[in-house]
Amino acid sequence: MAYNFEFYAPTKVIFGKGAETEIGRHAKTFGASNVLVVYGSGSAKRSGLLDRVESSLHAAGIAFQELGGVVPNPRLDKVYEGIRMGKAYNTDFLLAVGGGSAIDTAKAIAYGLAETEHDVWELFAHTRMARKCLPVASVLTIAAAGSETSRGCVITNECTGEKRAYDDNLARPKFAVMNPEYTKTLPDYQTQSGCVDIMMHTMERYFTNGGNMEITDALAEGLLRTVMKNAVKLHHQPGNYDARAEIMWAGSLAHNDLTGCGNDGGDFMSHNLEHELGGMFDVTHGAGLAAIWPSWARYVRKECLPRFVHYARNVMGITAEGSDEEIAEAGIQAMEDFYRSIGMPVNLGELGIHPTNLQIEEMADRCLAACGNHTGSAKKLTREDMIHIYTNARNSK
Ligand code: NZQ
Ligand code: ZN
């Protein structure tokens, strides 16, 4: 049965070659007069993109300051630095040049500047909701997190090791400039981690026990097949523009909520379990998801069997006959084979980490605290379930 839903995807997308030349004009349309440009550890500077973005702002008569040095699994101290800068320069618009980490840092700064009387971390600790947020936009350089059109924002508190998400439509970006050419400088590991993240945003919404629609399934399955096909292409031909374009657009559609319309909001426990890996071990988000998903899938599949069979048939192309259990397992196995074929890990050892039993218990405690009542839809996980999944992911070969 289809659940009621609201679909809100207001971000203007400017997609294709040369898209960055019009940034100043678009920013002006959305009222920007004093922009804080947020970027990462150097890739945007090295490629010359940052210069082109700033030239476009300059040509449109828009003042700007730069805040560089955002790292993957972006840190709260950089957010505070941005809030201090924004106050000093009267920032009225945030422009991220980069991926999920730069965009999420810009979103968090935008929340902080809109309500300077509060500590922005309270949003991520879920002790209050935001009432306001400054406008945010992005120039995307990696297809992965989907933050360029999503309501999500994920920040790591480096003092406590907590990596936490805050989701709110207030931070949906005003516009996203997406030129697939920018992504050609990515190392293969980052390209493929991005592909996994895109797939996982779709799969989190697909493996549910609450509400499904044929149209949503068709979009999700088509998106997954397209990403798999083009991830393999890019593994062998990293300069393939069309494959990069397919992946980049898929990244936005996978996380702007389109593939969740009509269901209960999705499972999202692979993400929640992975966020603890990111907080404790600073792993690359997409690779962490690939490493945890097979153990999660085997642990929960009995409780969501029809969806796993559907997935095995329609996404992984399993045609063999057998019991539902056997078909579901064949689908999971095929996914593992696919991840390995693009150089992605399928367990924690392959991810390069070996958590102790104590660390696993700590991650389960933190995950439970972060999730509150929302511990899954395919199967609602308890603390013990989480410990089993982490342990299986650590012990599997
Ligand atoms: O910092 P620079 O020098 O730019 O290097 C980055 C970084 O090392 C590099 N990179 C990006 N574009 C490049 C490039 N290198 C060469 N050429 C380019 N064109 O790639 C590395 C990863 O960048 P990052 O921004 O961290 O990647 P991603 O987009 O995967 O973002 C990951 C973050 O987003 C969060 C993740 O948890 C993680 O913290 N997520 C955010 C979501 C959201 N806001 O809706 C949802 C996701 O599920 C996810 O949790
Ligand atoms: Zn993700």
Side-chain angles (χ1 to χ4, degrees):
M1 189 193 83
Y3 284 16
N4 294 357
F5 65 88
E6 288 182 11
F7 178 61
Y8 179 68
T11 306
K12 177 173 186 173
V13 172
I14 303 116
F15 192 100
K17 293 182 183 178
E20 66 275 15
T21 54
E22 294 289 304
I23 287 166
R25 187 172 64 78
H26 292 295
K28 208 156 198 172
T29 310
F30 286 100
S33 64
N34 205 345
V35 174
L36 186 61
V37 180
V38 180
Y39 64 97
S41 303
S43 73
K45 215 163 196 153
R46 284 193 298 279
S47 68
L49 176 60
L50 199 65
D51 283 345
R52 295 201 295 284
V53 169
E54 292 179 349
S55 298
S56 177
L57 291 174
H58 184 72
I62 297 173
F64 59 85
Q65 285 78 37
E66 278 185 6
L67 176 68
V70 173
V71 294
N73 295 321
R75 311 285 201 269
L76 183 59
D77 63 352
K78 187 55 75 178
V79 174
Y80 288 146
E81 185 185 338
I83 294 171
R84 282 194 301 274
M85 270 186 85
K87 277 185 197 166
Y89 290 105
N90 289 323
T91 295
D92 59 13
F93 196 97
L94 279 295
L95 180 65
V97 182
S101 297
I103 303 170
D104 287 358
T105 301
K107 288 179 178 177
I109 295 169
Y111 282 125
L113 285 175
E115 295 186 81
T116 48
E117 66 280 22
H118 293 295
D119 179 356
V120 71
W121 181 252
E122 291 165 4
L123 302 177
F124 301 89
H126 297 151
T127 54
R128 72 172 168 95
M129 307 269 290
R131 285 178 292 118
K132 290 184 278 182
C133 183
L134 289 196
V136 180
S138 74
V139 183
L140 189 66
T141 66
I142 171 172
S147 186
E148 67 278 7
T149 58
S150 82
R151 64 199 198 104
C153 178
V154 187
I155 297 293
T156 296
N157 183 331
E158 63 280 10
C159 295
T160 61
E162 291 167 294
K163 181 175 175 178
R164 293 286 176 266
Y166 178 67
D167 295 342
D168 197 315
N169 280 328
L170 287 172
R172 293 254 191 201
K174 300 296 176 202
F175 66 85
V177 170
M178 294 164 60
N179 177 349
E181 282 187 324
Y182 310 152
T183 69
K184 284 186 181 173
T185 48
L186 280 165
D188 185 55
Y189 188 77
Q190 286 293 345
T191 296
Q192 301 304 339
S193 295
C195 291
V196 173
D197 195 17
I198 292 167
M199 293 179 68
M200 286 300 307
H201 292 154
T202 311
M203 287 151 66
E204 297 279 21
R205 293 171 168 92
Y206 188 89
F207 292 105
T208 73
N209 275 318
N212 290 120
M213 290 179 78
E214 196 179 322
I215 180 67
T216 300
D217 278 357
L219 290 168
E221 289 161 3
L223 192 151
L224 289 167
R225 290 192 300 265
T226 305
V227 173
M228 288 171 71
K229 182 174 154 189
N230 287 286
V232 173
K233 270 192 197 166
L234 289 180
H235 194 49
H236 300 290
Q237 311 157 32
N240 187 320
Y241 176 86
D242 288 330
R244 291 207 170 268
E246 299 283 353
I247 297 286
M248 198 171 218
W249 187 221
S252 294
L253 298 182
H255 205 35
N256 73 352
D257 293 333
L258 180 66
T259 62
C261 292
N263 72 26
D264 62 359
D267 184 86
F268 279 95
M269 284 316 293
S270 298
H271 263 76
N272 289 321
L273 292 163
E274 192 285 330
H275 281 176
E276 301 311 321
L277 296 174
M280 191 175 282
F281 298 99
D282 202 15
V283 298
T284 300
H285 174 61
L289 289 169
I292 204 79
W293 186 80
S295 298
W296 170 86
R298 290 199 170 93
Y299 196 80
V300 307
R301 70 165 184 240
K302 264 202 187 91
E303 323 267 338
C304 195
L305 204 49
R307 302 296 292 164
F308 274 93
V309 171
H310 214 60
Y311 173 82
R313 295 287 192 217
N314 294 352
V315 179
M316 303 313 296
I318 304 297
T319 52
E321 292 306 320
S323 67
D324 283 357
E325 277 279 349
E326 286 165 343
I327 295 162
E329 172 55 28
I332 296 168
Q333 187 82 54
M335 193 75 218
E336 281 184 323
D337 293 346
F338 165 73
Y339 280 158
R340 281 203 169 109
S341 79
I342 56 168
M344 284 288 105
V346 297
N347 55 53
L348 298 189
E350 290 180 15
L351 182 63
I353 62 169
H354 307 276
T356 61
N357 290 344
L358 214 62
Q359 285 173 319
I360 284 179
E361 285 188 31
E362 192 180 332
M363 286 193 288
D365 287 336
R366 288 176 169 210
C367 189
L368 201 60
C371 292
N373 269 336
H374 304 285
T375 58
S377 170
K379 174 176 166 60
K380 206 164 164 48
L381 301 184
T382 63
R383 177 180 184 272
E384 297 314 308
D385 294 330
M386 294 175 191
I387 290 174
H388 277 297
I389 293 169
Y390 281 129
T391 306
N392 293 346
R394 181 192 62 189
N395 296 348
S396 80
K397 299 275 179 252

